[in-house]
Amino acid sequence: MSEQMLEGVAINPTLTVKDVRKSFGSFEVLRGIDLEINLGEVVCVIGPSGSGKSTFLRCINQLETIDGGAIWINGELVGYRRAGNRLLELSEHEIARQRLSTGMVFQRFNLFPHMTALQNVTEGPVQVLKVSRKEAEDYGRELLDSVGLAHKCDAYPVELSGGQQQRVAIARALAMKPTLMLFDEPTSALDPELVGEVLSVMRSLAESGTTMVVVTHELGFAREVAGRVLFMDGGLIVESGPPKQVLGSPTQARTREFISAVLS
């Protein structure tokens, strides 16, 4: 794995992906993905449905097992450990430990319906990180305040709008203090008038230096927030570069076709 120099100090990228492949039966969803993302970088992934975007995120978070290649997070090989010249699969316990370094926000909010917003946010730190209930609640209230929901700590999911539930889901992911945040089309299940409030929270996260990979169809958000935009199609990264280039002057015909269809 390559290293980069920052102010004279060698560092590993937060995320390194080398030739990652994934198939479901005979259908190869990911056909060799290579990517490096550095600390504090925001990368937006765009592309048509079925291009492999969500599967790619699920592989990073070990919700899917890759069939080839390798992934490193914070310099640690994901899903495997070396034993001499062999690679051995990690146990479920070891995978769960590794997964703590990533926070994932899905299209659907997946909140516990029998828990309040605050309880949803604090359950992970208390049960998994073994943080004291008071410490978890204090931090949970800070997080809910940061996503504009300080007044909804005691509300149950059924009492919240879709946008509010998604903001709770973001706070819940942040409560585990991950080094990498993954967003899988987090606004796609929302009514149009609720999209802005979720994007506003994500915009604030980006401005705070959170390392993020965002699968999205919100091209305006990608143009404004991303340091880099990837266009995926057919299980490959077809084009990658600054938002101004990929969204404004794409070099690949397939990218141009997609952006034209989205904007039409």
Side-chain angles (χ1 to χ4, degrees):
M1 181 172 20
S2 66
E3 290 188 332
Q4 298 187 2
M5 300 298 294
L6 179 63
E7 296 179 346
V9 179
I11 60 167
N12 287 315
T14 297
L15 173 69
T16 300
V17 178
K18 295 291 186 183
D19 195 30
V20 163
R21 298 174 180 271
K22 175 65 181 178
S23 296
F24 294 109
S26 61
F27 178 54
E28 194 173 19
V29 181
L30 301 178
R31 299 194 291 134
I33 302 294
D34 293 296
L35 180 65
E36 283 193 355
I37 296 178
N38 294 314
L39 183 68
E41 191 174 5
V42 178
V43 174
C44 284
V45 185
I46 63 172
S49 297
S51 59
K53 307 183 303 297
S54 294
T55 298
F56 179 46
L57 289 194
R58 292 175 65 84
C59 287
I60 295 172
N61 203 36
Q62 301 191 71
L63 296 174
E64 299 286 355
T65 303
I66 63 175
D67 298 320
I71 299 171
W72 292 262
I73 295 178
N74 300 320
E76 182 180 5
L77 182 64
V78 165
Y80 299 88
R81 61 181 174 84
R82 292 193 179 277
N85 293 325
R86 300 168 59 207
L87 285 179
L88 303 179
E89 290 188 12
L90 296 183
S91 67
E92 287 297 323
H93 177 75
E94 291 170 313
I95 288 173
R97 176 191 60 78
Q98 285 192 336
R99 198 177 281 138
L100 294 176
S101 63
T102 60
M104 189 157 179
V105 178
F106 300 87
Q107 297 176 26
R108 296 290 176 178
F109 327 122
N110 299 324
L111 299 180
F112 296 115
H114 61 290
M115 294 184 178
T116 65
L118 183 61
Q119 288 169 338
N120 266 281
V121 172
T122 59
E123 186 70 7
V126 170
Q127 298 298 328
V128 179
L129 301 181
K130 306 304 179 185
V131 173
S132 73
R133 179 71 62 179
K134 182 181 186 306
E135 182 181 347
E137 288 185 351
D138 288 345
Y139 187 48
R141 291 181 190 278
E142 287 181 23
L143 288 172
L144 287 171
D145 182 46
S146 73
V147 299
L149 292 175
H151 61 300
K152 293 292 186 179
C153 286
D154 297 324
Y156 288 89
V158 71
E159 300 173 303
L160 302 173
S161 70
Q164 289 172 332
Q165 290 186 61
Q166 191 62 297
R167 285 186 279 158
V168 173
I170 293 172
R172 178 179 60 182
L174 292 171
M176 303 299 286
K177 299 183 178 180
T179 57
L180 175 66
M181 284 289 291
L182 308 173
F183 295 85
D184 186 10
E185 299 191 24
T187 61
S188 64
L190 300 178
D191 293 333
E193 64 268 23
L194 302 177
V195 169
E197 63 190 53
V198 174
L199 293 181
S200 177
V201 169
M202 294 171 61
R203 190 175 293 108
S204 296
L205 287 177
E207 291 171 352
S208 73
T210 303
T211 312
M212 298 164 58
V213 183
V214 184
V215 169
T216 183
H217 286 298
E218 302 288 342
L219 299 189
F221 173 81
R223 185 178 292 107
E224 178 186 353
V225 174
R228 194 171 8 143
V229 173
L230 312 180
F231 172 69
M232 286 186 65
D233 190 36
L236 294 169
I237 296 175
V238 175
E239 189 159 0
S240 172
K244 184 176 181 180
Q245 180 257 302
V246 175
L247 301 178
S249 303
T251 61
Q252 302 299 312
R254 185 66 188 94
T255 313
R256 292 194 295 271
E257 292 170 5
F258 173 78
I259 292 173
S260 177
V262 170
L263 296 177
S264 62

